[in-house]
Amino acid sequence: MSSVRIGIVGLGNMGTGHAKYLIANEVKDGVLAAVCDSRPERLEWARSELGEHVRRFDTPEAMYASGAIDGVLICTPHYDHPRQAIQAFSHGLHVLVEKPAGVYTKQVREMNEAAAASGNVFGIMYNQRTNPLYAKLKELLESGELGEIRRTNWIITNWYRPQSYYNSGGWRATWAGEGGGVLINQDPHQLDLWGWTTGLKPKRMRAFCQFGKHRDIEVENDVTAYVEYENGATGVFVTSTYESPGTNRFEVSGDRGKLVVENGKLTFSRLRVPESEFNRTFTGSFGQPECWTFDVPVASGGSQHAAITQDWVNAILKGTPLIAPGEEGINGLMLSNAMLLSTWIDDWVEFPIDEDLFYDKLQEQIRNSKTKKDANHYVTADVSGTH
Amino acid sequence: MSSVRIGIVGLGNMGTGHAKYLIANEVKDGVLAAVCDSRPERLEWARSELGEHVRRFDTPEAMYASGAIDGVLICTPHYDHPRQAIQAFSHGLHVLVEKPAGVYTKQVREMNEAAAASGNVFGIMYNQRTNPLYAKLKELLESGELGEIRRTNWIITNWYRPQSYYNSGGWRATWAGEGGGVLINQDPHQLDLWGWTTGLKPKRMRAFCQFGKHRDIEVENDVTAYVEYENGATGVFVTSTYESPGTNRFEVSGDRGKLVVENGKLTFSRLRVPESEFNRTFTGSFGQPECWTFDVPVASGGSQHAAITQDWVNAILKGTPLIAPGEEGINGLMLSNAMLLSTWIDDWVEFPIDEDLFYDKLQEQIRNSKTKKDANHYVTADVSGTH
């Protein structure tokens, strides 16, 4: 195989974006061969904008069975991702799934098992992993520049969404339609990067979600989470959708100082000797290690969706390792699920979480939903994956 | 009365500092008339450095009964503050107490009642209230520049203390000697400012203290606390003593934007229209209010201990209102007590806290203490106030 024939499921905002750079040949050896959407107007858009040579389907099944594609980019509502990925694997297709991997880890675990059984290439659209700031942060942490990590703190409150955003689609910000709020819609990248850059394994978590704060919605849009990691470090994650201008500040402190990502900069406060060594040898009452603070050189550009698609195409054609393996989608999702679960049971949640309990609690939210929004066709299709 | 004759109880680090600026006449109409310490070497220091005209006593009672002073500055170990203040009030003296007000709110409440009954002037050494950064922050918040507050976040992890600091006194970092760790020793100013600047009333709190982290001590030196306020806002407070260089960043977000105190600057991200108004009227899906970010002009200098002593002298002589009324010392202490209590009971704590339960839990820590440190004379005197 010298090129990968790609199909796209779902021509919403994301799917349309992927189609545009693929048709512009921005992914080497990646060819947009087919698209799929249940809405005739989106297929009409595809015909006129992508051209007749891109085949059009109104169900994923028909596209998967057509023989027209080698791999599929899944860009449908969150709930549908695992089911549609599992179907694709059963047709021998490679899969690149949009984030989040799904809505609940139980469903995503099945997708991961299907991926492993298929032996096909499975990626997830974690394009922020190619953001040079976070890539550099990961490189520094992995190479031991900060020593053992002792604390993480991410304030990510710059996901401002006005009420009009929530009113713009009947499925938005509902348990049935999206399965959550800021955690499932806005934060998947940060929840992934939090674990991916640090490599820390959460041991237990206590989180506090607030629902419909300053907004007429039923899902969470204000979260504070406290985590204890296996290595003894602790962490805090704060997020919301009603703060303006909001903050995006990620701090990691360790034995060798502190790293902060904020305002597009990666700032390192680096100790000349590790804190643990200073502490062992220092004999005065007050004092601390000599510290050098500087901005770490970081490459420009990055966090392009096309870069992840290119990486997935390369993995298919050349067997190169993925920047964002699909199986890792469960990690950020488990943090998200844990935050809701801790709130719902008003107690600690241990890792790995009780996936059945989370699923039951989510169904309870859906059953008890008092949202007045009409479920439209989109929502109906959307929810079909949950049962 | 044209001047206030001041006595100092306790010539440790703080008391010695107060004596030095008083003897240098830095407080107008405040005269250092007497000092008290149980240690002969400190009284000898006073004789040679302060002069024979400053009377010397080896018990507070003797100094209080001497008729030599009008007011007293209490600079003894934490546990002794309330008992010694109550004694002073009973002798008709004005009182300025070092922070913290005490170790547990039950004890401090009795001190406040004695102060009120006495009618004398009662201040607390919250000199950080004169720090222009926090004074300006309070002024902006009180005048409504930020609108209703929606979130607070204070990361105060720059209280670095090496093991040698903890080893430098047998009473240090023990339940019996100091009644706590970073919260009672390093954070009293921040715990005061957190409430003083914002005016927010805590409703309930969930906190996570870790004890002896990276240090051989029995008390807390790593704390993450989550608070829900009466107005619906939430807050986070993170503190530790083992991080270097640590962070001191206080963020307050509200309907009108965001204020951040960090690196000696007060930065205002101010919305041109309040978020709530924008949210009511905006019709697009994405967008947010116009925001202007700038550093607020802040006076130089400040946070001098002498300024608080001067303010207390003025209040005695002229009846002016205090910057830091002693009765307000209980507010920050209650936050501190709540953080420990929430950890010990592994549950929510409602405000006002159950003071008897906190007292019982504290006694339990003292009884169960396995610290190998020898209790020296200083500690013995120190603990006498706890029972």
Side-chain angles (χ1 to χ4, degrees), chain A residues 127-142 154-156 158 189-190 192-194 196-198 248-252 260-266 298-299 301 303:
Chain A
N127 54 295
Q128 285 292 331
R129 289 192 180 188
T130 70
N131 181 325
L133 281 168
Y134 300 111
K136 188 71 184 179
L137 176 63
K138 178 182 173 67
E139 189 262 301
L140 291 174
L141 294 173
E142 268 187 354
W154 204 328
I155 305 173
I156 172 73
N158 67 345
H189 287 303
Q190 285 76 34
D192 173 59
L193 294 171
W194 194 20
W196 180 69
T197 58
T198 61
N248 183 358
R249 182 183 186 278
F250 183 27
E251 169 177 315
V252 184
V260 178
V261 179
E262 190 178 13
N263 299 323
K265 290 195 304 187
L266 172 58
V298 169
S303 67

Side-chain angles (χ1 to χ4, degrees), chain A residues 61-333:
Chain A
E61 293 77 3
M63 185 171 74
Y64 294 171
S66 68
I69 60 173
D70 305 307
V72 63
L73 226 161
I74 297 175
C75 314
T76 45
H78 317 327
Y79 273 117
D80 293 340
H81 293 176
R83 184 175 48 86
Q84 293 175 342
I86 291 168
Q87 284 178 342
F89 289 127
S90 76
H91 282 86
L93 298 171
H94 305 287
V95 171
L96 179 56
V97 69
E98 260 295 344
K99 54 89 196 167
V103 173
Y104 47 95
T105 55
K106 188 178 174 178
Q107 185 192 34
V108 169
R109 193 171 301 282
E110 291 166 13
M111 172 172 71
N112 285 355
E113 287 163 2
S118 78
N120 294 332
V121 176
F122 177 35
I124 184 165
M125 189 52 76
Y126 279 152
N127 54 295
Q128 285 292 331
R129 289 192 180 188
T130 70
N131 181 325
L133 281 168
Y134 300 111
K136 188 71 184 179
L137 176 63
K138 178 182 173 67
E139 189 262 301
L140 291 174
L141 294 173
E142 268 187 354
S143 65
E145 286 289 353
L146 196 68
E148 187 174 44
I149 295 174
R150 292 168 163 200
R151 188 188 302 287
T152 71
N153 188 297
W154 204 328
I155 305 173
I156 172 73
T157 53
N158 67 345
W159 288 122
Y160 186 72
R161 294 291 182 271
Q163 187 65 43
S164 52
Y165 163 85
Y166 291 117
N167 294 346
S168 67
W171 69 96
R172 278 206 202 280
T174 62
W175 294 113
E178 297 200 296
V182 64
L183 292 171
I184 204 79
N185 277 293
Q186 280 77 41
D187 286 323
H189 287 303
Q190 285 76 34
L191 292 170
D192 173 59
L193 294 171
W194 194 20
W196 180 69
T197 58
T198 61
L200 293 171
K201 304 286 175 220
K203 192 173 166 212
R204 64 173 188 164
M205 177 179 273
R206 188 71 178 86
F208 314 95
C209 298
Q210 300 202 347
F211 305 91
K213 195 160 186 185
H214 302 294
R215 294 293 182 272
D216 182 23
I217 53 172
E218 64 184 20
V219 295
E220 87 288 351
N221 66 333
D222 179 322
V223 181
T224 301
Y226 167 76
V227 65
E228 292 177 357
Y229 298 105
E230 285 181 0
N231 78 335
T234 65
V236 168
F237 189 88
V238 176
T239 191
S240 76
T241 64
Y242 58 79
E243 286 173 83
S244 182
T247 294
N248 183 358
R249 182 183 186 278
F250 183 27
E251 169 177 315
V252 184
S253 102
D255 190 32
R256 197 95 202 203
K258 182 172 69 170
L259 282 157
V260 178
V261 179
E262 190 178 13
N263 299 323
K265 290 195 304 187
L266 172 58
T267 306
F268 197 169
S269 296
R270 189 169 197 279
L271 302 182
R272 197 166 167 193
V273 299
E275 188 286 319
S276 54
E277 181 184 329
F278 178 88
N279 186 51
R280 250 193 329 271
T281 56
F282 184 67
T283 54
S285 283
F286 294 90
Q288 53 189 307
E290 183 176 329
C291 178
W292 305 336
T293 296
F294 52 92
D295 292 333
V296 177
V298 169
S300 57
S303 67
Q304 300 297 311
H305 293 103
I308 290 292
T309 308
Q310 183 70 66
D311 184 62
W312 173 69
V313 165
N314 294 347
I316 294 168
L317 295 176
K318 305 172 196 167
T320 48
L322 288 167
I323 293 169
E327 289 81 356
E328 295 181 9
I330 201 167
N331 300 335
L333 183 64

